């Protein structure tokens, strides 16, 4: 099954070089060699995302969700509130994390198919002086929609609150460049846009507000305590056993990313991929859920063909070498998703339209139509 193309929004396909990097060998995380690797990654993550002069990296062993939860609990001081933008599954997840840790919340909601109105964020910040942080998902992979994080960042910058951006599915893939957003806490992951291996995530903390905020927030977790992680990593140590081999893979993934031209080249690649696959979706009468101005480069939510279930379409396409992804929540019965993340040969994306057409034709014939 090694030739399967994963068209799901994580885990994404990786390059042979990234996979081979995990074979560098076993290493104790208390040895100086790992301290060197961790220090290199803390520098290179911020550098490759254009934030070396403004942000400090904290590595976290865990998926992107671990980074999200670490950011949420480290962004709000005692007795204050978190404003959560909720217009998808991952905005709702941020809200759930805050509630699980006893962090008081206020919510700005929007439909799953529409970006949030930055003005609604501004109104709440003006009216509620207890809001200590604003949390927003940049790319809601629920639907393949982008939120206006640059506009929200400009609003939050004029307040004492910090701006927390979940960039898990947009890092190195979407515009604006994270350096332009002025976010104080950014959540990212080794996989997806950086094409590393799942298992290591990270926070980028601004030296202007982010590092101070996590130090001022009360300790709400042992494993996911950003202040403890930051103190330890600054000293060349790490509090808990890290995913050493996954760190090796991230080290190689960043080297490949920068060697290929960095952010501008990766952004161009993802736009090219969208330009290859989306006309085919239109020719096959598969409606895209999100309107053009709000679409992400990497994820497309599509309406299921009439009379064809997601499971049936998934299984047909898997026989042809492609793995697609189900719709989430209330979209699970009506939509499916195709993500063009990770290391995918362009010819396989060119061939996707034909594989979809054959799969739909086969399933339609089997139904006797």
């Amino acid at each position: 099954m090694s030739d399967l193309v994963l068209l799901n929004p994580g885990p994404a396909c990786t390059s042979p070089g990234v996979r081979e990097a995990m074979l560098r060998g076993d290493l104790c995380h208390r040895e100086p060699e790992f301290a060197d690797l961790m220090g290199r990654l803390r520098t290179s993550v911020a550098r490759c995302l254009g934030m070396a002069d403004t942000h400090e990296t904290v590595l976290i062993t865990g998926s992107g969700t671990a980074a999200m939860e670490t950011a949420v609990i480290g962004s709000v001081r005692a007795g204050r509130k978190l404003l959560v933008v909720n217009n998808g599954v991952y905005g709702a997840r941020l809200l759930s994390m805050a509630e699980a840790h006893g962090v008081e919340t206020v919510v700005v909601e929007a439909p799953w198919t529409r970006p949030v109105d930055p003005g609604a964020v501004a109104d709440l910040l003006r009216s509620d002086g207890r809001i200590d942080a604003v949390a927003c998902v940049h790319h809601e992979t629920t639907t393949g929609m982008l939120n206006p994080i640059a506009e929200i960042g400009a609003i939050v910058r004029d307040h004492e609150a910090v701006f927390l951006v979940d960039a898990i599915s947009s890092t190195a893939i979407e515009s604006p460049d994270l350096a332009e957003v002025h976010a104080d806490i950014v959540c990212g992951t080794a996989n997806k846009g950086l094409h590393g291996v799942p298992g290591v995530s990270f926070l980028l903390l601004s030296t202007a507000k982010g590092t101070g905020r996590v130090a001022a927030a009360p300790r709400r977790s042992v494993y996911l305590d950003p202040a403890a992680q930051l103190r330890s990593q600054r000293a060349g140590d790490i509090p808990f056993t890290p995913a050493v081999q996954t760190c090796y893979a991230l080290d190689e993934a960043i080297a490949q990313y920068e060697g290929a031209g960095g952010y501008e080249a990766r952004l161009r690649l993802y736009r090219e991929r969208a330009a290859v696959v989306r006309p085919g979706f239109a020719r096959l009468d598969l409606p895209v859920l999100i309107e053009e101005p709000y679409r992400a480069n990497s994820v497309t939510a599509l309406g299921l063909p009439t009379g064809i279930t997601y499971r049936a379409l998934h299984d047909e396409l898997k026989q042809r070498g492609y793995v697609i992804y189900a719709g989430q929540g209330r979209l699970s019965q009506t939509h499916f998703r195709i993500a063009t993340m990770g290391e995918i040969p362009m010819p396989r994306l060119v061939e996707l339209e034909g594989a979809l057409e054959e799969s739909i034709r086969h399933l339609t014939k089997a139904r006797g139509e």
Side-chain angles (χ1 to χ4, degrees), residues 139-202:
H139 173 199
E140 266 289 358
T141 54
T142 310
T143 55
M145 183 191 65
L146 297 175
N147 273 314
I149 57 170
E151 291 86 344
I152 295 172
I155 291 167
V156 179
R157 188 170 33 176
D158 293 332
H159 294 263
E160 186 182 358
V162 297
F163 186 32
L164 188 170
V165 172
D166 170 0
I168 303 295
S169 295
S170 62
T171 303
I173 297 176
E174 306 294 345
S175 58
D177 184 333
L178 285 171
E180 304 171 27
V181 176
H182 302 288
D184 302 294
I185 304 175
V186 177
C187 309
T189 184
N191 193 228
K192 303 197 179 186
L194 288 179
H195 299 187
V197 173
V200 170
S201 54
F202 53 84

Side-chain angles (χ1 to χ4, degrees), residues 171-298:
T171 303
I173 297 176
E174 306 294 345
S175 58
D177 184 333
L178 285 171
E180 304 171 27
V181 176
H182 302 288
D184 302 294
I185 304 175
V186 177
C187 309
T189 184
N191 193 228
K192 303 197 179 186
L194 288 179
H195 299 187
V197 173
V200 170
S201 54
F202 53 84
L203 301 184
L204 288 161
L205 304 175
S206 71
T207 54
K209 290 164 80 173
T211 55
R213 176 53 56 84
V214 300
R219 188 184 191 212
R220 296 183 170 103
S221 174
V222 175
Y223 188 74
L224 301 177
D225 180 358
Q229 290 280 2
L230 180 58
R231 285 193 303 270
S232 182
Q233 292 181 33
R234 279 175 168 174
D237 198 0
I238 198 161
F240 310 105
T241 304
V244 175
Q245 283 75 14
T246 306
C247 289
Y248 284 147
L250 177 57
D251 190 39
E252 175 61 25
I254 290 174
Q256 293 185 8
Y257 165 85
E258 292 187 320
Y263 170 73
E264 292 297 336
R266 184 80 28 114
L267 178 64
R268 186 165 56 250
L269 171 66
Y270 275 84
R271 287 175 173 167
E272 289 170 355
R273 289 176 175 180
V276 166
V277 299
R278 286 178 177 163
F281 303 153
R283 285 189 288 269
L284 294 173
D285 293 321
L286 297 173
V288 178
L289 179 64
I290 300 299
E291 293 180 15
E292 178 67 41
Y294 315 127
R295 291 177 192 168
N297 291 322
S298 62

Side-chain angles (χ1 to χ4, degrees), residues 93-150:
R93 183 175 293 181
L94 289 168
L95 183 62
S96 179
M97 289 169 175
E99 292 172 344
H101 290 279
V103 176
E104 191 175 352
T105 59
V106 292
V107 184
V108 171
E109 292 190 289
W112 279 16
T113 55
R114 302 290 293 185
V116 69
D117 176 11
V121 175
D123 290 344
L124 270 176
L125 280 170
R126 281 193 296 266
S127 64
D128 191 340
R130 291 176 58 215
I131 294 174
D132 214 27
V134 175
C136 183
V137 177
H138 185 196
H139 173 199
E140 266 289 358
T141 54
T142 310
T143 55
M145 183 191 65
L146 297 175
N147 273 314
I149 57 170

